[in-house]
Every structure is written in structure tokens, then in C-alpha cells.
Amino acid sequence: MAGMTISKLSKMKASRDKIVSVTAYDASFAKLFAQCGIDFMLVGDSLGNVVQGQSSTLPVTVEQIAYHTEAVRRGAPDAFIMADMPFMSYATPEQACVEAAKLMRAGANMVKLEGGDWLLDTIRTLVERSVPVCAHLGLLPQSVNVLGGYKIQGREQSAAENTVRQALALQQAGAQMLVLECVPSSLGQLISQKLDIPVIGIGAGAQTDGQILVMHDMFGLNSDYLPKFVKNFLADADDLQSAVELYIRQVKDGSFPGPEHTFE
């Protein structure tokens, strides 16, 4: 795990070595993930749901993400850590710079933003000012009120083509990674093939360059509702470490996600 960089992640894509990621919110789990060999961790605004008990990610603040990023960094000093920029923290390029700086100072190596065309100027501005950016397309949890709920995206031909176009534009603007959430596996495969940057899927099929899961989902802790793309790895393991190692192994060998975890 020591010394993971965006250039190493890009080389993993080129050599078809699957990238494995998970969300992390505290020092203890960050240390466990690092010891198991997770390629990178995301301090996700999903903490609103799984840590705070909110009904969505919208109440999460930059200060809260920074607090958890600091904790994860202390637990995994050498890890590659991505931090989510929460709802309305990047409404303008200028605001994005101010808020991203807080997350980078807290220990992030990269920030993640949700959205397409409207973000191009913001991404250019951040990258010019030495803030690495991961883009996020497909299902956008921060846009849940606009999307009308948590639904699969990109099923219609026009929507799929638009997603591909936006992915290429985000890469052109300077994004160095892309998270693709809840899209048909064929679209996940197509975007991964078209982009030079690593494409990390969550509910986007097995043909993306890597996979990410919310930590609590991976351990089956949200048993009242498990999305289709989630697998409880703890159910087939004796302890937390074995569950993480199983997750890594199954992503690397291509057995997760299986057909039962993907959308067509």
C-alpha cells in the first residue's frame, strides 16, 4: 500500500490490474484496510448515511469531511486518500478552490466532485492549482432530489451516449480518475475502454478498471437495505480482516461483481 500514487493507479489500468477501493471514515479501519492492501480509500460523503444516520449525503459539510480525512490519514499515513467534496461546496470554481484546500490540508491526495459538463471549468481551475480531481458520473447521490431517487442511470441510448461524452470531457478538463455509479455494465465497460484514466465502478459492472464499496455495505452492516451491487463479504469470512482480503481477491480475479450484482 505504501506510496500509492495516481500515476501508479494509471499504470494498474494500463496493465489491467484491477484497482480495489473502499470508503473509510476513521483511523482503526483505515489501518486495517492499509494492512490488507487496499489500493486507495475514499472519505465519502456517504458518512452522512452510515456514520451520522442522515437520510441522504446532503447535510454533510466540508469540515466534517476534513475531520474524517484527518482521522483516516492518521490511521494510514502512506495511503492514497480521496476525499469527497460535499453538496454545494463547489458551486463555483472559486469556492471549489477554497474548500478543496481544506481537504488537501487535512490529508487528502485527491478530491472527488459529482457532475458533468457544468464542472469542466471547476476541474480545470483545481488542476491548474495542483488539486488532483476524481470525477463522478452515473447516479449522483448529491443530486437525488433532482433525479427523483436512487435509480440506475444511462439505460436509454441517448443517456448512455451523453454519459460517454461527459466522461471524455471531464478527462479532457483534467480529471485523473472517474467513479461511475449505477449504470448498465455495458456502459461501464465502454467508458472504461474509451478513457485513459482509471474508471472505478460501483454498480457499473465487472469490466471497469476497479471497484469501490461503502465499508458498511461490504461488511453487511446495512442489512435492512443492501443495494443490488453490494456483497456482504463478512458472511463468507471469519473476521473483518478476512472479509477485506476476500473482497480484494474477488475484485482482482474478476469474480466480484458477478452478474447478480450488475445492471443490464
Side-chain angles (χ1 to χ4, degrees), residues 89-149:
S89 66
Y90 48 99
T92 66
E94 295 74 23
Q95 183 194 20
C97 288
V98 172
E99 304 298 352
K102 296 175 185 173
L103 301 181
M104 299 296 285
R105 289 190 194 106
N109 300 102
M110 176 178 253
V111 299
K112 180 166 75 65
L113 296 74
E114 295 182 13
D117 295 328
W118 71 274
L119 273 179
L120 299 177
D121 284 344
T122 298
I123 290 173
R124 285 189 206 99
T125 303
L126 286 168
V127 172
E128 281 170 0
R129 286 151 183 78
S130 306
V131 178
V133 173
C134 174
H136 184 146
L137 287 173
L139 175 64
L140 307 176
Q142 291 176 16
S143 303
V144 62
N145 291 316
V146 175
L147 296 173

Side-chain angles (χ1 to χ4, degrees), residues 14-264:
S15 61
R16 301 196 171 178
D17 180 8
K18 292 284 187 183
I19 298 165
V20 192
S21 180
V22 67
T23 64
Y25 314 96
D26 65 41
S28 298
F29 277 103
K31 184 177 181 182
L32 170 67
F33 296 148
Q35 288 172 340
C36 291
I38 285 282
D39 294 314
F40 76 89
M41 300 177 216
L42 168 67
V43 181
D45 58 4
S46 48
L47 71 87
N49 304 92
V50 297
V51 178
Q52 299 174 345
Q54 308 278 10
S55 62
S56 76
T57 63
L58 304 191
V60 177
T61 66
V62 171
E63 287 68 31
Q64 289 165 351
I65 295 281
Y67 169 88
H68 288 276
T69 300
E70 287 172 353
V72 169
R73 174 57 71 200
R74 284 191 285 267
D78 299 321
F80 189 90
I81 299 172
M82 183 192 298
D84 264 337
M85 293 195 66
F87 179 65
M88 279 305 218
S89 66
Y90 48 99
T92 66
E94 295 74 23
Q95 183 194 20
C97 288
V98 172
E99 304 298 352
K102 296 175 185 173
L103 301 181
M104 299 296 285
R105 289 190 194 106
N109 300 102
M110 176 178 253
V111 299
K112 180 166 75 65
L113 296 74
E114 295 182 13
D117 295 328
W118 71 274
L119 273 179
L120 299 177
D121 284 344
T122 298
I123 290 173
R124 285 189 206 99
T125 303
L126 286 168
V127 172
E128 281 170 0
R129 286 151 183 78
S130 306
V131 178
V133 173
C134 174
H136 184 146
L137 287 173
L139 175 64
L140 307 176
Q142 291 176 16
S143 303
V144 62
N145 291 316
V146 175
L147 296 173
Y150 297 98
K151 305 179 202 171
I152 181 169
Q153 304 293 312
R155 268 203 163 128
E156 301 78 23
Q157 180 73 20
S158 59
E161 289 171 358
N162 192 42
T163 306
V164 172
R165 182 190 59 74
Q166 291 191 77
L168 288 163
L170 291 162
Q171 174 180 268
Q172 181 69 30
Q176 291 177 283
M177 205 183 316
L178 173 69
V179 166
L180 196 55
E181 182 168 355
C182 281
V183 299
S185 52
S186 56
L187 182 57
Q189 180 175 9
L190 178 63
I191 290 175
S192 301
Q193 289 169 344
K194 282 188 172 288
L195 264 57
D196 299 321
I197 60 175
V199 177
I200 310 299
I202 177 165
Q207 302 305 315
T208 52
D209 303 308
Q211 300 292 328
I212 187 167
L213 282 178
V214 171
M215 175 189 111
H216 298 70
D217 289 343
M218 183 179 71
F219 293 135
L221 292 178
N222 294 332
S223 52
D224 54 333
Y225 170 69
L226 279 181
K228 177 183 168 81
F229 55 79
V230 167
K231 178 175 177 178
N232 174 5
F233 288 88
L234 192 54
D236 299 318
D238 295 327
D239 54 33
L240 294 173
Q241 181 173 335
S242 304
V244 178
E245 290 168 348
L246 180 63
Y247 168 53
I248 293 171
R249 198 159 60 245
Q250 291 196 355
V251 172
K252 294 282 186 188
D253 69 18
S255 58
F256 177 81
E260 69 273 25
H261 305 118
T262 58
F263 305 100
E264 294 309 326

